[in-house]
């Protein structure tokens, strides 16, 4: 096992026996074999694109398979065995069609050099055999086989993680009937690039910047699709307390799952609570109209083992951030979508024109006690672009009048490490003349702090989920135009990103693609970046790790 694609990699190097996330060595090996198989599929799909031989089902499969390997999404060996088998079968099918089409068009046989990922076959579908094969094709294998330059390898690994993030975005968009062929084709191109043995650093970096651009475009598509489906987000007070009726707790990003659940629980006496990034559901008109969408329960994803037992009712994990359940709630935990854990009941995908069937959760909830209170008070979220745009004029005037000195973007994902207290201290210590824009569950580090206002402008503007990060950039571009600044980097804005996994990797790449300078990333810098890559990022973009709260505030106020 060798895994270092999340911020919690052991000693900020790599998990080598078991993942801090709960991933066992066998799951790590199966994920490595799945990626190995997807590279083979991508090789043929990339070459077959000119013949239009790749079906939309294969496009969707690629996205879902990549999504399954995002941190904390799926831990089910059976699921990965099925995905590996399907990847190879789809690869073989495309290969057969490509060989015929190539011969007909070019008058000669397809003769591109074939990487082993495009050739691997197996006699039967077998978890043990797949696990053993996967243990042989992980990161150490590629380093040894290709004798890759360490910097090129680091960037290629980052490209694979970006592809996983793009896969997740593609699946979220697909749930709302939005698809972009260009994104699917880019996934094939990205994976195929990592099969080459003569890549130069600039080759891979160019693809990484393109992944940032495509990722930001996919975020924009998702934000627009959510708005069209559920209405524009609007500033909303979300309560943090509990009611005296049984409830169902929903964690994750998928708003359509929440809508299905609200429709089916209406009038049943069962309330619906959100958890982690699902909090944003409260800000959408089509969802907040349901009286039984009552509150947000608990903190960020990493606290679930302590908090889920106290909820007392069923818990549904829709997109990611599942952990090994404790016995105190394992009989009340459900998954859906690409999420999986062994022996956790899985709610199947919705059929065309129908809703997902959540009757099992509802019937179980009726037998459960109401949730135990965890917190009191409320939190304000829902500052989508339609809510931010009316604030352009007052924010512009406050900046000109020196009532706002700096805008601080605090976005990203929370996690376990004690060093993440930095984000609580930073937010609470920022001077009163700073405005904070936030997206993602880093919000839980300062959820109940009263930031007050500046000339009736809330000092904290929560823009939603990690996937709503584009809203912040769109708004800041509008502000740039309002202030008549030639360049984005002239804005009095500092970015401080709490990275954890593939979604926040896309955030970073999106900022680099926009040439945004002096971005801070913490609580540690990604372990897969070499010293040379970090030096390059510092030189080109002013990338920084975090320092003390006091030093970082002083530097950000100076535009550094």
């Amino acid at each position: 096992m060798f895994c270092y694609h999340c911020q919690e990699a052991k000693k900020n190097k790599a998990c080598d026996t078991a993942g801090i996330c709960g991933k066992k060595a066998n799951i790590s090996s199966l994920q490595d074999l799945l990626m190995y198989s997807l590279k083979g599929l991508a090789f043929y799909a990339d070459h077959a694109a000119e013949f239009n031989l790749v079906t939309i089902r294969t496009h969707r499969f690629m996205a879902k398979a990549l999504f399954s390997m995002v941190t904390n999404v799926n831990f089910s060996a059976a699921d990965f065995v099925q995905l590996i088998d399907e990847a190879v079968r789809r690869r073989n099918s495309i290969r057969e069609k490509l060989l015929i089409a190539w011969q007909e068009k070019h008058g000669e046989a397809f003769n591109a050099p074939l990487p082993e990922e495009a050739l691997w076959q197996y006699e039967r579908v077998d978890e043990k055999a797949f696990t053993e094969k996967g243990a042989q094709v992980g990161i150490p294998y590629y380093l040894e086989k290709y004798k890759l330059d360490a910097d090129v390898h680091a960037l290629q690994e980052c490209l694979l993680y970006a592809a996983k993030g793009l896969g997740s975005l593609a699946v979220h968009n697909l749930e709302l009937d939005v698809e972009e062929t260009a994104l699917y084709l880019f996934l094939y191109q990205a994976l195929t690039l990592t099969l080459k043995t003569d890549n130069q650093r600039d080759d891979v970096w160019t693809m990484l910047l393109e992944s940032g651009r495509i990722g930001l475009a996919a975020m924009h598509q998702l934000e627009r699709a959510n708005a069209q489906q559920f209405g524009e987000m609007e500033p909303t007070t979300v309560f943090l307390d509990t009611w005296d009726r049984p409830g169902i707790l929903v964690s994750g990003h998928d708003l359509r799952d929440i809508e299905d659940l609200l429709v089916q629980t209406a009038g049943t006496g069962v309330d619906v609570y959100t958890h982690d990034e699902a909090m944003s559901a409260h800000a959408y008109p089509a969802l907040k109209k349901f009286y039984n969408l009552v509150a947000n329960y608990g903190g960020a994803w990493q606290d679930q083992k302590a908090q889920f037992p106290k909820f007392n009712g069923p818990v549904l994990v829709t997109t990611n951030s599942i952990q090994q359940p404790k016995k105190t709630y394992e009989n009340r935990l459900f998954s859906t979508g690409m999420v999986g854990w062994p022996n956790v009941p899985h709610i199947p995908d919705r059929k065309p024109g129908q809703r997902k069937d959540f009757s099992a959760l509802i019937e179980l909830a009726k037998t459960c006690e109401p949730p135990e209170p965890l917190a009191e008070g409320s939190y304000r979220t829902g500052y989508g672009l339609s809510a931010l745009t009316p604030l352009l004029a007052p924010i512009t005037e406050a900046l000109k009048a020196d009532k706002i000195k700096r805008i601080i973007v605090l976005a990203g994902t929370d996690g376990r490490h004690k060093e993440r207290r930095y984000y609580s201290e930073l937010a609470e210590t920022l001077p009163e003349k700073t405005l904070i824009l936030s997206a993602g569950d880093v919000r839980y580090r300062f959820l109940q702090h009263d930031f007050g206002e500046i000339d009736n402008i809330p000092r904290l503007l929560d823009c939603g989920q990690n996937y709503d990060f584009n809203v912040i950039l769109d708004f800041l571009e509008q502000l740039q135009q309002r202030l008549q600044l030639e360049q984005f980097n002239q804005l009095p804005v500092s970015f401080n990103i709490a990275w954890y996994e593939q979604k926040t990797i896309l955030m970073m790449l999106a900022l680099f693609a926009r040439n945004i300078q002096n971005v801070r990333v913490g609580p540690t810098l990604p372990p897969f970046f070499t010293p040379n890559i970090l030096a390059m990022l510092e030189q080109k973009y002013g990338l920084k790790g975090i320092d003390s709260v006091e030093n970082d505030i002083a530097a950000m106020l100076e535009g550094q």
Side-chain angles (χ1 to χ4, degrees):
M1 177 178 183
F2 188 98
C3 180
Y4 61 2
H5 67 188
C6 86
Q7 189 273 325
E8 293 186 348
K10 188 172 70 174
K11 297 182 180 180
N12 202 40
K13 292 183 178 179
C15 293
D16 52 8
T17 54
I20 302 297
C21 64
K23 180 166 59 180
K24 306 301 183 185
N26 68 312
I27 299 300
S28 181
S29 295
L30 289 170
Q31 289 187 357
D32 286 342
L33 185 59
L34 177 57
M35 181 59 79
Y36 181 87
S37 304
L38 292 176
K39 289 179 181 180
L41 170 59
F43 173 82
Y44 283 115
D46 189 36
H47 282 89
E50 67 172 293
F51 302 102
N52 197 29
L53 296 175
V54 186
T55 66
I56 191 65
R57 289 189 176 184
T58 295
H59 291 338
R60 294 169 180 172
F61 168 78
M62 174 62 78
K64 290 179 178 181
L66 288 167
F67 185 16
S68 74
M69 294 183 286
V70 168
T71 303
N72 290 336
V73 169
N74 198 306
F75 298 81
S76 170
D79 287 353
F80 287 114
V81 168
Q82 180 180 354
L83 289 167
I84 292 164
D85 178 48
E86 185 169 351
V88 174
R89 287 189 288 107
R90 287 185 178 276
R91 181 202 71 190
N92 291 343
S93 175
I94 293 172
R95 176 183 177 276
E96 292 178 5
K97 296 174 184 177
L98 172 64
L99 296 183
I100 295 172
W102 190 277
Q103 180 73 44
E104 291 178 350
K105 179 177 181 178
H106 298 284
E108 60 181 13
F110 180 71
N111 59 2
L114 299 179
E116 65 177 73
E117 292 86 348
L119 297 169
W120 176 65
Q121 304 286 353
Y122 46 87
E123 294 183 359
R124 61 191 179 91
V125 177
D126 181 77
E127 179 183 330
K128 183 175 182 294
F130 281 6
T131 303
E132 291 174 350
K133 175 66 176 178
Q136 300 169 8
V137 296
I139 290 171
Y141 169 76
Y142 281 96
L143 281 170
E144 176 63 26
K145 177 188 175 183
Y146 293 119
K147 307 295 183 185
L148 290 174
D149 174 83
D151 299 336
V152 172
H153 172 75
L155 294 178
Q156 289 185 177
E157 283 299 307
C158 187
L159 184 58
L160 294 177
Y161 306 151
K164 293 177 184 180
L166 289 172
S168 71
L169 275 165
V171 173
H172 288 312
N173 274 312
L174 180 59
E175 289 296 318
L176 296 168
D177 301 319
V178 175
E179 292 185 271
E180 184 62 57
T181 301
L183 189 156
Y184 293 134
L185 296 180
F186 178 81
L187 293 177
Y188 302 138
Q189 294 164 8
L191 268 61
T192 300
L193 181 71
T194 67
L195 295 173
K196 297 180 179 179
T197 59
D198 58 351
N199 287 328
Q200 301 299 308
R201 193 169 76 171
D202 288 348
D203 299 331
V204 189
W205 184 245
T206 298
M207 286 289 281
L208 278 167
L209 293 180
E210 184 63 14
S211 72
R213 285 187 282 269
I214 292 175
L216 201 57
M219 291 179 196
H220 177 78
Q221 282 184 318
L222 180 59
E223 181 254 330
R224 287 293 82 208
N226 279 329
Q228 291 169 14
Q229 181 83 11
F230 308 110
E232 297 282 355
M233 272 202 299
E234 53 192 31
T236 302
T237 298
V238 182
F239 294 103
L240 307 177
D241 54 3
T242 57
W243 288 29
D244 59 357
R245 302 197 306 180
I248 296 172
L249 183 61
V250 186
S251 185
H253 305 79
D254 197 305
L255 300 180
R256 198 168 173 194
D257 284 346
I258 295 175
E259 181 185 47
D260 287 355
L261 185 60
L262 287 168
V263 168
Q264 292 171 54
T265 52
T268 65
V270 174
D271 290 328
V272 174
Y273 293 76
T274 57
H275 174 262
D276 199 32
E277 295 221 50
M279 178 193 280
S280 298
H282 295 266
Y284 288 92
L287 302 179
K288 64 190 296 184
K289 71 181 182 181
F290 288 90
Y291 292 109
N292 63 325
L293 179 63
V294 294
N296 191 76
Y297 189 84
W301 66 272
Q302 72 273 7
D303 297 325
Q304 63 187 257
K305 288 188 176 183
Q307 296 177 347
F308 285 1
K310 298 178 181 179
F311 184 74
N312 294 330
V315 178
L316 175 68
V317 184
T318 64
T319 55
N320 65 324
S321 298
I322 192 171
Q323 292 181 294
Q324 182 173 0
K326 287 187 172 182
K327 292 183 179 180
T328 48
Y329 66 90
E330 65 181 1
N331 63 336
R332 297 186 280 106
L333 186 64
F334 295 79
S335 66
T336 193
M338 293 310 300
V339 180
W341 193 281
N343 301 318
V344 168
H346 189 81
I347 304 301
D349 292 343
R350 60 181 60 81
K351 297 178 181 179
Q354 299 182 23
R355 298 188 183 277
K356 285 187 180 179
D357 182 4
F358 291 121
S359 57
L361 284 82
I362 297 169
E363 292 307 310
L364 176 59
K366 292 176 181 178
T367 70
C368 297
E369 294 295 319
E372 297 179 28
L374 289 180
E376 297 179 348
S378 62
Y379 181 77
R380 193 83 167 161
T381 187
Y383 287 92
L385 194 57
S386 63
L388 288 174
T389 300
L391 296 176
L392 271 172
I395 289 175
T396 300
E397 293 308 310
L399 284 166
K400 291 179 177 179
D402 203 34
K403 293 181 179 180
I404 296 177
K405 287 185 174 292
R406 197 83 184 165
I407 299 172
I408 308 297
V409 177
L410 280 178
T413 304
D414 203 6
R416 299 177 185 84
H417 284 182
K418 62 182 181 181
E419 290 82 4
R420 289 182 180 269
R421 295 170 187 164
Y422 162 91
Y423 297 101
S424 303
E425 297 172 8
L426 179 72
E428 295 170 8
T429 309
L430 282 168
E432 293 183 359
K433 288 188 176 182
T434 52
L435 186 71
I436 302 170
L437 297 175
S438 185
D441 61 12
V442 70
R443 65 163 73 97
Y444 287 98
R445 288 290 164 175
F446 39 85
L447 191 72
Q448 293 188 286
H449 183 77
D450 183 3
F451 288 94
E453 298 181 339
I454 301 173
D455 280 4
N456 298 317
I457 304 166
R459 277 192 61 224
L460 173 63
L461 299 170
D462 186 304
C463 303
Q465 301 179 353
N466 272 313
Y467 290 130
D468 295 311
F469 185 60
N470 70 287
V471 169
I472 293 177
L473 291 180
D474 290 346
F475 171 70
L476 291 174
E477 286 183 344
Q478 291 183 7
L479 184 62
Q480 174 193 345
Q481 295 173 7
R482 188 95 182 191
L483 291 169
Q484 298 182 328
L485 301 174
E486 291 185 5
Q487 298 181 8
F488 186 97
N489 287 312
Q490 293 176 291
L491 282 169
V493 174
S494 295
F495 286 82
N496 200 318
I497 305 298
W499 95 277
Y500 185 79
E501 35 73 283
Q502 293 76 15
K503 295 189 297 293
T504 38
I505 288 172
L506 279 180
M507 277 187 185
M508 287 188 284
L509 294 172
L511 295 175
F512 296 150
R514 295 287 185 93
N515 193 34
I516 294 175
Q517 299 289 309
N518 296 319
V519 175
R520 280 174 173 76
V521 172
T524 55
L525 290 167
F528 46 84
F529 282 155
T530 62
N532 286 340
I533 296 300
L534 290 173
M536 180 268 287
L537 295 174
E538 181 180 7
Q539 188 272 326
K540 289 175 69 74
Y541 306 102
L543 176 69
K544 299 171 176 62
I546 62 171
D547 195 352
S548 69
V549 167
E550 294 76 12
N551 288 346
D552 280 349
I553 289 177
M556 287 190 292
L557 291 177
E558 293 295 324
Q560 301 172 3

